[in-house]
PDB file of all heavy atoms in Angstrom:
ATOM      1  N   HIS Q 152       2.359 -12.228   0.474  1.00 97.00           N
ATOM      2  CA  HIS Q 152       3.817 -12.101   0.506  1.00 97.00           C
ATOM      3  C   HIS Q 152       4.373 -13.081  -0.519  1.00 97.00           C
ATOM      4  O   HIS Q 152       4.074 -14.270  -0.478  1.00 97.00           O
ATOM      5  CB  HIS Q 152       4.360 -12.418   1.901  1.00 97.00           C
ATOM      6  CG  HIS Q 152       5.859 -12.455   1.973  1.00 97.00           C
ATOM      7  ND1 HIS Q 152       6.538 -13.306   2.829  1.00 97.00           N
ATOM      8  CD2 HIS Q 152       6.809 -11.775   1.290  1.00 97.00           C
ATOM      9  CE1 HIS Q 152       7.841 -13.140   2.669  1.00 97.00           C
ATOM     10  NE2 HIS Q 152       8.025 -12.212   1.733  1.00 97.00           N
ATOM     11  N   TRP Q 153       5.170 -12.566  -1.451  1.00 97.00           N
ATOM     12  CA  TRP Q 153       5.742 -13.413  -2.490  1.00 97.00           C
ATOM     13  C   TRP Q 153       7.192 -13.010  -2.737  1.00 97.00           C
ATOM     14  O   TRP Q 153       7.614 -11.910  -2.398  1.00 97.00           O
ATOM     15  CB  TRP Q 153       4.939 -13.309  -3.788  1.00 97.00           C
ATOM     16  CG  TRP Q 153       4.837 -11.930  -4.367  1.00 97.00           C
ATOM     17  CD1 TRP Q 153       3.873 -10.991  -4.130  1.00 97.00           C
ATOM     18  CD2 TRP Q 153       5.770 -11.307  -5.274  1.00 97.00           C
ATOM     19  NE1 TRP Q 153       4.134  -9.835  -4.822  1.00 97.00           N
ATOM     20  CE2 TRP Q 153       5.298  -9.993  -5.528  1.00 97.00           C
ATOM     21  CE3 TRP Q 153       6.954 -11.731  -5.882  1.00 97.00           C
ATOM     22  CZ2 TRP Q 153       5.967  -9.116  -6.385  1.00 97.00           C
ATOM     23  CZ3 TRP Q 153       7.628 -10.843  -6.724  1.00 97.00           C
ATOM     24  CH2 TRP Q 153       7.121  -9.555  -6.966  1.00 97.00           C
ATOM     25  N   ILE Q 154       7.927 -13.937  -3.317  1.00 97.00           N
ATOM     26  CA  ILE Q 154       9.288 -13.649  -3.768  1.00 97.00           C
ATOM     27  C   ILE Q 154       9.409 -14.114  -5.218  1.00 97.00           C
ATOM     28  O   ILE Q 154       8.602 -14.912  -5.698  1.00 97.00           O
ATOM     29  CB  ILE Q 154      10.356 -14.338  -2.904  1.00 97.00           C
ATOM     30  CG1 ILE Q 154      10.236 -15.860  -3.011  1.00 97.00           C
ATOM     31  CG2 ILE Q 154      10.252 -13.886  -1.447  1.00 97.00           C
ATOM     32  CD1 ILE Q 154      11.366 -16.619  -2.317  1.00 97.00           C
ATOM     33  N   SER Q 155      10.412 -13.606  -5.891  1.00 97.00           N
ATOM     34  CA  SER Q 155      10.649 -14.053  -7.261  1.00 97.00           C
ATOM     35  C   SER Q 155      11.036 -15.531  -7.271  1.00 97.00           C
ATOM     36  O   SER Q 155      11.860 -15.978  -6.474  1.00 97.00           O
ATOM     37  CB  SER Q 155      11.767 -13.224  -7.897  1.00 97.00           C
ATOM     38  OG  SER Q 155      12.166 -13.796  -9.125  1.00 97.00           O
ATOM     39  N   ALA Q 156      10.426 -16.277  -8.173  1.00 97.00           N
ATOM     40  CA  ALA Q 156      10.775 -17.691  -8.332  1.00 97.00           C
ATOM     41  C   ALA Q 156      12.068 -17.878  -9.114  1.00 97.00           C
ATOM     42  O   ALA Q 156      12.611 -18.979  -9.152  1.00 97.00           O
ATOM     43  CB  ALA Q 156       9.632 -18.420  -9.034  1.00 97.00           C
ATOM     44  N   ASP Q 157      12.544 -16.805  -9.709  1.00 94.00           N
ATOM     45  CA  ASP Q 157      13.785 -16.841 -10.477  1.00 94.00           C
ATOM     46  C   ASP Q 157      14.953 -16.456  -9.562  1.00 94.00           C
ATOM     47  O   ASP Q 157      15.020 -15.318  -9.092  1.00 94.00           O
ATOM     48  CB  ASP Q 157      13.688 -15.856 -11.648  1.00 94.00           C
ATOM     49  CG  ASP Q 157      14.915 -15.886 -12.559  1.00 94.00           C
ATOM     50  OD1 ASP Q 157      15.931 -16.485 -12.172  1.00 94.00           O
ATOM     51  OD2 ASP Q 157      14.845 -15.286 -13.641  1.00 94.00           O
ATOM     52  N   PRO Q 158      15.870 -17.371  -9.262  1.00 91.00           N
ATOM     53  CA  PRO Q 158      16.979 -17.047  -8.350  1.00 91.00           C
ATOM     54  C   PRO Q 158      17.887 -15.952  -8.885  1.00 91.00           C
ATOM     55  O   PRO Q 158      18.656 -15.365  -8.127  1.00 91.00           O
ATOM     56  CB  PRO Q 158      17.722 -18.382  -8.221  1.00 91.00           C
ATOM     57  CG  PRO Q 158      17.352 -19.160  -9.442  1.00 91.00           C
ATOM     58  CD  PRO Q 158      15.956 -18.752  -9.767  1.00 91.00           C
ATOM     59  N   GLU Q 159      17.783 -15.654 -10.173  1.00 92.00           N
ATOM     60  CA  GLU Q 159      18.603 -14.603 -10.773  1.00 92.00           C
ATOM     61  C   GLU Q 159      18.001 -13.217 -10.547  1.00 92.00           C
ATOM     62  O   GLU Q 159      18.653 -12.206 -10.805  1.00 92.00           O
ATOM     63  CB  GLU Q 159      18.731 -14.846 -12.283  1.00 92.00           C
ATOM     64  CG  GLU Q 159      19.330 -16.183 -12.643  1.00 92.00           C
ATOM     65  CD  GLU Q 159      20.837 -16.183 -12.521  1.00 92.00           C
ATOM     66  OE1 GLU Q 159      21.457 -15.167 -12.852  1.00 92.00           O
ATOM     67  OE2 GLU Q 159      21.386 -17.214 -12.089  1.00 92.00           O
ATOM     68  N   VAL Q 160      16.754 -13.168 -10.090  1.00 93.00           N
ATOM     69  CA  VAL Q 160      16.043 -11.891  -9.910  1.00 93.00           C
ATOM     70  C   VAL Q 160      15.666 -11.739  -8.444  1.00 93.00           C
ATOM     71  O   VAL Q 160      14.916 -12.567  -7.906  1.00 93.00           O
ATOM     72  CB  VAL Q 160      14.778 -11.828 -10.785  1.00 93.00           C
ATOM     73  CG1 VAL Q 160      14.040 -10.510 -10.560  1.00 93.00           C
ATOM     74  CG2 VAL Q 160      15.133 -11.990 -12.257  1.00 93.00           C
ATOM     75  N   SER Q 161      16.172 -10.712  -7.817  1.00 93.00           N
ATOM     76  CA  SER Q 161      15.874 -10.461  -6.401  1.00 93.00           C
ATOM     77  C   SER Q 161      14.725  -9.461  -6.301  1.00 93.00           C
ATOM     78  O   SER Q 161      14.920  -8.254  -6.483  1.00 93.00           O
ATOM     79  CB  SER Q 161      17.118  -9.919  -5.684  1.00 93.00           C
ATOM     80  OG  SER Q 161      16.823  -9.634  -4.333  1.00 93.00           O
ATOM     81  N   LEU Q 162      13.529  -9.972  -6.042  1.00 96.00           N
ATOM     82  CA  LEU Q 162      12.360  -9.109  -5.943  1.00 96.00           C
ATOM     83  C   LEU Q 162      11.377  -9.724  -4.958  1.00 96.00           C
ATOM     84  O   LEU Q 162      11.161 -10.938  -4.955  1.00 96.00           O
ATOM     85  CB  LEU Q 162      11.699  -8.939  -7.320  1.00 96.00           C
ATOM     86  CG  LEU Q 162      10.794  -7.716  -7.497  1.00 96.00           C
ATOM     87  CD1 LEU Q 162      11.605  -6.426  -7.350  1.00 96.00           C
ATOM     88  CD2 LEU Q 162      10.104  -7.737  -8.855  1.00 96.00           C
ATOM     89  N   VAL Q 163      10.788  -8.869  -4.121  1.00 96.00           N
ATOM     90  CA  VAL Q 163       9.860  -9.304  -3.075  1.00 96.00           C
ATOM     91  C   VAL Q 163       8.633  -8.414  -3.111  1.00 96.00           C
ATOM     92  O   VAL Q 163       8.739  -7.189  -3.279  1.00 96.00           O
ATOM     93  CB  VAL Q 163      10.516  -9.224  -1.678  1.00 96.00           C
ATOM     94  CG1 VAL Q 163       9.516  -9.580  -0.580  1.00 96.00           C
ATOM     95  CG2 VAL Q 163      11.736 -10.131  -1.606  1.00 96.00           C
ATOM     96  N   GLY Q 164       7.478  -9.014  -2.939  1.00 97.00           N
ATOM     97  CA  GLY Q 164       6.233  -8.263  -2.792  1.00 97.00           C
ATOM     98  C   GLY Q 164       5.594  -8.577  -1.461  1.00 97.00           C
ATOM     99  O   GLY Q 164       5.657  -9.720  -0.987  1.00 97.00           O
ATOM    100  N   ASP Q 165       4.963  -7.569  -0.857  1.00 97.00           N
ATOM    101  CA  ASP Q 165       4.390  -7.778   0.476  1.00 97.00           C
ATOM    102  C   ASP Q 165       3.326  -6.723   0.726  1.00 97.00           C
ATOM    103  O   ASP Q 165       3.553  -5.528   0.512  1.00 97.00           O
ATOM    104  CB  ASP Q 165       5.496  -7.663   1.535  1.00 97.00           C
ATOM    105  CG  ASP Q 165       4.991  -7.964   2.936  1.00 97.00           C
ATOM    106  OD1 ASP Q 165       4.031  -8.732   3.074  1.00 97.00           O
ATOM    107  OD2 ASP Q 165       5.570  -7.417   3.886  1.00 97.00           O
ATOM    108  N   PHE Q 166       2.163  -7.174   1.165  1.00 97.00           N
ATOM    109  CA  PHE Q 166       1.156  -6.229   1.643  1.00 97.00           C
ATOM    110  C   PHE Q 166       0.171  -6.943   2.542  1.00 97.00           C
ATOM    111  O   PHE Q 166      -0.019  -8.158   2.455  1.00 97.00           O
ATOM    112  CB  PHE Q 166       0.430  -5.523   0.482  1.00 97.00           C
ATOM    113  CG  PHE Q 166      -0.351  -6.426  -0.449  1.00 97.00           C
ATOM    114  CD1 PHE Q 166      -1.651  -6.819  -0.165  1.00 97.00           C
ATOM    115  CD2 PHE Q 166       0.213  -6.854  -1.648  1.00 97.00           C
ATOM    116  CE1 PHE Q 166      -2.368  -7.627  -1.034  1.00 97.00           C
ATOM    117  CE2 PHE Q 166      -0.489  -7.664  -2.527  1.00 97.00           C
ATOM    118  CZ  PHE Q 166      -1.789  -8.051  -2.218  1.00 97.00           C
ATOM    119  N   SER Q 167      -0.408  -6.180   3.445  1.00 97.00           N
ATOM    120  CA  SER Q 167      -1.571  -6.583   4.213  1.00 97.00           C
ATOM    121  C   SER Q 167      -2.425  -5.329   4.313  1.00 97.00           C
ATOM    122  O   SER Q 167      -2.308  -4.542   5.255  1.00 97.00           O
ATOM    123  CB  SER Q 167      -1.184  -7.106   5.603  1.00 97.00           C
ATOM    124  OG  SER Q 167      -2.332  -7.520   6.314  1.00 97.00           O
ATOM    125  N   VAL Q 168      -3.236  -5.121   3.295  1.00 98.00           N
ATOM    126  CA  VAL Q 168      -3.946  -3.859   3.125  1.00 98.00           C
ATOM    127  C   VAL Q 168      -5.318  -3.940   3.791  1.00 98.00           C
ATOM    128  O   VAL Q 168      -6.040  -4.923   3.663  1.00 98.00           O
ATOM    129  CB  VAL Q 168      -4.056  -3.505   1.622  1.00 98.00           C
ATOM    130  CG1 VAL Q 168      -4.894  -4.499   0.857  1.00 98.00           C
ATOM    131  CG2 VAL Q 168      -4.575  -2.084   1.438  1.00 98.00           C
ATOM    132  N   MET Q 169      -5.642  -2.889   4.563  1.00 97.00           N
ATOM    133  CA  MET Q 169      -6.888  -2.852   5.329  1.00 97.00           C
ATOM    134  C   MET Q 169      -7.992  -2.163   4.530  1.00 97.00           C
ATOM    135  O   MET Q 169      -7.724  -1.249   3.747  1.00 97.00           O
ATOM    136  CB  MET Q 169      -6.689  -2.050   6.632  1.00 97.00           C
ATOM    137  CG  MET Q 169      -5.410  -2.337   7.372  1.00 97.00           C
ATOM    138  SD  MET Q 169      -5.415  -3.956   8.144  1.00 97.00           S
ATOM    139  CE  MET Q 169      -3.708  -4.069   8.690  1.00 97.00           C
ATOM    140  N   ASN Q 170      -9.240  -2.576   4.761  1.00 95.00           N
ATOM    141  CA  ASN Q 170     -10.303  -1.724   4.249  1.00 95.00           C
ATOM    142  C   ASN Q 170     -10.321  -0.435   5.077  1.00 95.00           C
ATOM    143  O   ASN Q 170      -9.730  -0.361   6.164  1.00 95.00           O
ATOM    144  CB  ASN Q 170     -11.665  -2.435   4.217  1.00 95.00           C
ATOM    145  CG  ASN Q 170     -12.268  -2.700   5.586  1.00 95.00           C
ATOM    146  OD1 ASN Q 170     -12.114  -1.948   6.530  1.00 95.00           O
ATOM    147  ND2 ASN Q 170     -12.988  -3.808   5.685  1.00 95.00           N
ATOM    148  N   ILE Q 171     -10.927   0.601   4.556  1.00 94.00           N
ATOM    149  CA  ILE Q 171     -10.743   1.928   5.134  1.00 94.00           C
ATOM    150  C   ILE Q 171     -11.326   2.039   6.535  1.00 94.00           C
ATOM    151  O   ILE Q 171     -10.830   2.800   7.368  1.00 94.00           O
ATOM    152  CB  ILE Q 171     -11.317   3.011   4.194  1.00 94.00           C
ATOM    153  CG1 ILE Q 171     -10.737   4.385   4.545  1.00 94.00           C
ATOM    154  CG2 ILE Q 171     -12.846   2.986   4.180  1.00 94.00           C
ATOM    155  CD1 ILE Q 171     -10.938   5.434   3.470  1.00 94.00           C
TER     156      ILE Q 171
END
Side-chain angles (χ1 to χ4, degrees):
H152 174 213
W153 59 269
I154 64 173
S155 170
D157 183 348
E159 302 280 323
V160 179
S161 178
L162 201 63
V163 176
D165 184 28
F166 62 85
S167 181
V168 65
M169 317 289 172
N170 70 34
I171 199 164

